[in-house]
Amino acid sequence: MKTKHPLTRVCAAACFIACFCACRNGQNKNEERDTTVTITSSFNNLFLDSSQLENFLLANPSGENYEKQLMDFYRQRNYEYAWFDSSGLGEQANNFMNLLNTTINDLDDSSLYNPKLYELYAKLKNAADAKPHLGDVLQTELSLTTQFFAYSAKVYKGSDIDATQLGWFIPRKKVDLTALLDSVILFKDKEPDEFVALNSQYNKLKGFLPEYFDIQKNNHWDTIAKPPKPLHLGDKSVIIPVVKEKLFVYGDLSINDSSDIFDSSLFYAAKSFQKRMGLGIDGAVGNGMISELNVPVSKRIEQLYINLERIRWMPPEPGSDYIFVNIPEFKMYVYENGKLNFTMNVIVGKVATGTIIFTGNLKFIVFSPYWNVPPSIVQKEIIPGMERDSNYISKHNMEITSTSGGIPVVRQKPGDDNSLGHIKFLFPNSYDIYFHDTPNHDLFSASSRSFSHGCIRLSEPKRLAQFLLRDDSSWNEKRMDTSMHSSKEIWVTLNKTIPVFIGYFTAWVDSDGKLNFRKDIYGHDTKLAEKLFVK
């Protein structure tokens, strides 16, 4: 429970009844209005008039963004006050102002600061037993409601940005702001968070912002020079003290001894940092690690803001089975009944053929698939190959099935060298993206894995197939292996589709509570930053 402020006394009930009674001529008959809420039946006896709400909107342009919500909210409660009662400011008003202060401080977000509201609130709080001006009470009431909608839209829905222009095609989470405020007013002792289905990553990631603000304030590091060769256990170097200091401040090194010797503590701290940054985990201090240590704290804070914004767009995690792929992490997460079952490394699209951010429903497994070569690859790779070598098609286990517009239609037959490997997983979509096996498993050992034409290659496709068919006793391992090495495609339709989310997060908190960062491989962070931050 937040600290309660003493209630401010306001004018007598009779004055409010006279001034704010909701009697309006020419009321639209189609408007939904709870006429059972009256002065005698309501929680308080304070009402405003619809014309006062209209005048407020005219005088406060910022409220126009939430005009519908304001109208709906007050109409549904028959224009009864929400934040006041006959004794003054209600408990929920003080709670919300405390929450607003905390959020502004935690996020360091001045866009949520409304100086006029703070002035009105302070004026009423300081009025003590004095009789406040009726206009101040009305302005405070409507300003609190407007600010609540602004706060909730920003924190729970995200900025007013067309995410599709930024390559984001996962439908954005919907939040009914009017219903949310109704719940907050009704249940005075509950936070708004308790009525909004938040993705669990939001509060985890937000919790690191104050820590990074402190790091930025208290540390002013110079760029660390890159060593001629990687440093290992037992080595000495002038850069080791500052490497230790940074790893200590970031939480990877438990004790900072400030010596220039590469000791075992630094070795394990380096491995911790490398894991959090998605680098090769060898415990050596090389150029890749130094580059990540040299990223300015201000840039890391920017990454936190950017990914908090994306998380606001995301729905809460399903409590059922689902699959999540994080493109910059090159990793798939497979969940069973809402709990993580296993992960695997994946390969995503190259920069020029980037994997799309979207969601779908996995419906089919195809064993021993044909690969229907996309026309763009036929033109760019197959036709030039055929011109160089007349046996190109047969050497690559391919066949021409027809022609279209003078271009051969080519497919690769099932086999060990098939580009899709031995299994593919389809979640029908307009982007022609799916999961599949690959004959080139050596690529999964690379720390950066953006090599494909857009589809997602799996390091353990058989494991995913076993998971998806685990409840079907007819699919034993022998049958699965036989199906994976057939000369013809074998299609399996799942009894129940599985939601698939292909996301793009360059900062998140892992299951161990560690903050992770990754490179912005497709430049999506840069584009979103241009929308979020005023340079």
Side-chain angles (χ1 to χ4, degrees):
M1 178 76 70
K2 296 184 180 298
T3 303
K4 299 179 183 178
H5 295 274
L7 295 176
T8 304
R9 302 298 299 178
V10 292
C11 57
C15 294
F16 276 107
I17 294 169
C19 294
F20 299 124
C21 182
C23 54
R24 300 182 308 285
N25 296 322
Q27 175 74 37
N28 186 333
K29 294 182 180 179
N30 294 323
E31 291 179 350
E32 294 184 9
R33 179 178 169 190
D34 188 355
T35 55
T36 64
V37 179
T38 65
I39 293 171
T40 56
S41 67
S42 64
F43 288 112
N44 67 63
N45 49 16
L46 310 181
F47 288 76
L48 59 101
D49 188 271
S50 62
S51 63
Q52 293 171 315
L53 178 54
E54 293 165 3
N55 290 335
F56 173 84
L57 288 168
L58 290 173
N60 296 270
S62 61
E64 292 178 0
N65 295 329
Y66 307 103
E67 179 176 355
K68 183 180 186 306
Q69 288 88 348
L70 280 160
M71 291 293 191
D72 288 347
F73 176 70
Y74 283 105
R75 185 166 55 240
Q76 289 170 11
R77 58 191 294 112
N78 204 17
Y79 296 88
E80 177 190 6
Y81 270 52
W83 305 97
F84 288 85
D85 57 30
S86 57
S87 63
L89 278 168
E91 177 184 354
Q92 60 270 42
N94 297 314
N95 288 346
F96 174 59
M97 292 302 292
N98 286 339
L99 175 64
L100 192 59
N101 282 331
T102 299
T103 303
I104 290 171
N105 290 330
D106 286 351
L107 297 180
D108 193 27
D109 189 349
S110 60
S111 70
L112 292 173
Y113 178 70
N114 182 339
K116 184 176 181 180
L117 171 60
Y118 275 85
E119 180 184 347
L120 287 166
Y121 180 73
K123 189 174 181 180
L124 289 175
K125 293 289 293 179
N126 295 330
D129 292 329
K131 184 177 178 180
H133 189 277
L134 298 181
D136 289 342
V137 175
L138 175 67
Q139 288 294 312
T140 305
E141 165 71 23
L142 296 178
S143 294
L144 278 165
T145 303
T146 303
Q147 190 63 24
F148 181 89
F149 288 144
Y151 166 88
S152 300
K154 178 71 179 287
V155 172
Y156 301 126
K157 294 176 65 177
S159 301
D160 187 16
I161 293 171
D162 184 353
T164 61
Q165 293 184 355
L166 302 172
W168 183 279
F169 297 101
I170 299 175
R172 288 182 61 164
K173 177 183 63 183
K174 297 187 186 316
V175 179
D176 187 333
L177 300 181
T178 302
L180 175 59
L181 180 52
D182 275 334
S183 298
V184 169
I185 295 300
L186 182 60
F187 299 97
K188 300 177 177 61
D189 58 342
K190 294 184 180 293
E191 296 277 3
D193 285 10
E194 298 181 57
F195 303 106
V196 179
L198 286 170
N199 189 285
S200 66
Q201 271 291 315
Y202 181 75
N203 284 321
K204 292 177 183 178
L205 195 60
K206 186 180 75 171
F208 277 93
L209 266 177
E211 180 177 326
Y212 271 69
F213 292 146
D214 287 342
I215 292 172
Q216 183 180 41
K217 178 181 177 181
N218 298 321
N219 299 275
H220 304 282
W221 292 307
D222 293 328
T223 300
I224 304 173
K226 293 181 178 179
K229 60 180 181 178
L231 300 173
H232 296 86
L233 267 171
D235 287 345
K236 284 188 174 184
S237 172
V238 294
I239 71 169
I240 286 179
V242 68
V243 169
K244 287 182 175 180
E245 182 185 357
K246 283 195 171 187
L247 291 177
F248 174 72
V249 170
Y250 286 136
D252 298 285
L253 182 65
S254 57
I255 300 175
N256 182 17
D257 63 10
S258 71
S259 72
D260 63 353
I261 300 174
F262 195 128
D263 54 19
S264 60
S265 295
L266 176 56
F267 174 76
Y268 290 113
K271 292 182 73 172
S272 170
F273 182 80
Q274 289 165 345
K275 181 180 180 181
R276 294 194 304 108
M277 300 297 132
L279 303 171
I281 305 172
D282 58 8
V285 178
N287 287 349
M289 181 171 167
I290 295 298
S291 293
E292 294 298 326
L293 285 170
N294 281 335
V295 173
V297 180
S298 59
K299 180 66 176 178
R300 294 304 190 197
I301 291 172
E302 184 177 285
Q303 275 188 272
L304 292 174
Y305 278 129
I306 287 168
N307 287 278
L308 280 170
E309 176 67 19
R310 290 192 183 113
I311 293 169
R312 293 181 184 119
W313 303 346
M314 288 288 288
E317 297 92 332
S320 57
D321 298 351
Y322 69 99
I323 295 169
F324 174 71
V325 174
N326 188 17
I327 295 171
E329 188 185 6
F330 314 111
K331 182 160 285 190
M332 170 185 282
Y333 296 81
V334 179
Y335 291 84
E336 182 177 11
N337 297 323
K339 295 183 178 180
L340 182 64
N341 187 295
F342 63 92
T343 67
M344 73 173 73
N345 291 335
V346 302
I347 290 170
V348 300
K350 297 177 285 190
V351 173
T353 55
T355 300
I356 304 298
I357 303 163
F358 74 107
T359 186
N361 290 294
L362 201 159
K363 187 174 183 179
F364 305 106
I365 303 174
V366 184
F367 293 101
S368 299
Y370 285 101
W371 178 41
N372 298 304
V373 185
S376 60
I377 297 177
V378 171
Q379 289 184 300
K380 293 178 182 178
E381 300 179 22
I382 307 299
I383 293 176
M386 292 169 61
E387 292 173 348
R388 292 191 303 269
D389 182 354
S390 59
N391 294 318
Y392 181 91
I393 289 290
S394 61
K395 284 181 179 179
H396 288 80
N397 196 30
M398 294 178 176
E399 59 186 7
I400 297 174
T401 59
S402 63
T403 59
S404 176
I407 305 293
V409 176
V410 180
R411 71 178 183 181
Q412 189 176 35
K413 293 180 281 187
D416 291 339
D417 58 351
N418 185 287
S419 293
L420 303 185
H422 297 291
I423 317 178
K424 70 177 179 180
F425 304 85
L426 302 180
F427 37 104
N429 58 82
S430 59
Y431 311 109
D432 198 26
I433 288 178
Y434 46 88
F435 302 143
H436 65 85
D437 184 15
T438 176
N440 301 313
H441 278 261
D442 292 344
L443 296 175
F444 288 103
S445 62
S447 58
S448 180
R449 297 185 294 275
S450 52
F451 306 121
S452 81
H453 288 92
C455 288
I456 296 171
R457 305 176 194 172
L458 308 183
S459 59
E460 301 177 80
K462 181 180 175 182
R463 186 177 185 184
L464 180 60
Q466 289 173 323
F467 172 80
L468 296 173
L469 297 172
R470 66 193 184 281
D471 294 328
D472 188 339
S473 59
S474 69
W475 278 100
N476 55 35
E477 188 165 4
K478 181 179 179 180
R479 182 185 180 189
M480 192 167 291
D481 287 339
T482 301
S483 299
M484 289 170 61
H485 294 87
S486 173
S487 60
K488 295 183 179 179
E489 283 189 338
I490 299 172
W491 281 64
V492 180
T493 302
L494 297 179
N495 292 329
K496 184 179 180 181
T497 60
I498 307 296
V500 173
F501 299 90
I502 301 176
Y504 191 95
F505 294 94
T506 59
W508 72 93
V509 180
D510 63 27
S511 58
D512 295 323
K514 303 288 187 181
L515 179 60
N516 284 245
F517 290 107
R518 293 297 188 274
K519 288 183 172 60
D520 179 23
I521 58 174
Y522 293 162
H524 290 323
D525 280 11
T526 300
K527 293 175 183 177
L528 182 51
E530 291 173 355
K531 300 286 187 180
L532 290 179
F533 310 125
V534 178
K535 300 297 184 182

